[in-house]
Amino acid sequence: WSSDVCSSDLISVNIGNLKDGDLVFFMTNPALPYQISHVGIYIGGNKFIHSPKSGEVIKISELTGYYKEKFIIGKRILK
């Protein structure tokens, strides 16, 4: 993430219109149910890359089941 990117450089994308490189945002923390608590990068084929927990290895996960339920929004960087 760069300080050169601001909110005006992002557009919202729903789960059905994600493209490679889009950021995917999730609410996964029950203690903070109204805050984004997890972010990944969509890589196509209904998959995204992320680190499930701090200190864990980077993983590729399917955007189904748990993650589909917790998905909030995608964001595309326009710059």
Side-chain angles (χ1 to χ4, degrees):
W1 194 260
S2 165
S3 61
D4 293 337
V5 176
C6 64
S7 62
S8 64
D9 297 325
L10 301 172
I11 60 167
S12 296
V13 181
N14 67 34
I15 199 167
N17 292 318
L18 292 169
K19 292 184 180 180
D20 296 3
D22 287 346
L23 302 175
V24 286
F25 295 86
F26 306 88
M27 287 187 193
T28 59
N29 185 348
L32 300 168
Y34 302 105
Q35 291 186 4
I36 300 294
S37 53
H38 193 65
V39 179
I41 302 170
Y42 189 73
I43 59 171
N46 210 34
K47 296 181 181 179
F48 68 104
I49 188 168
H50 63 122
S51 177
K53 293 182 183 173
S54 181
E56 278 196 25
V57 297
I58 301 298
K59 294 184 180 178
I60 294 174
S61 296
E62 297 244 355
L63 195 48
T64 59
Y66 175 79
Y67 287 112
K68 186 175 182 179
E69 290 173 16
K70 300 298 182 180
F71 176 86
I72 299 303
I73 198 159
K75 292 286 186 173
R76 186 167 298 144
I77 300 171
L78 298 176
K79 270 190 173 180

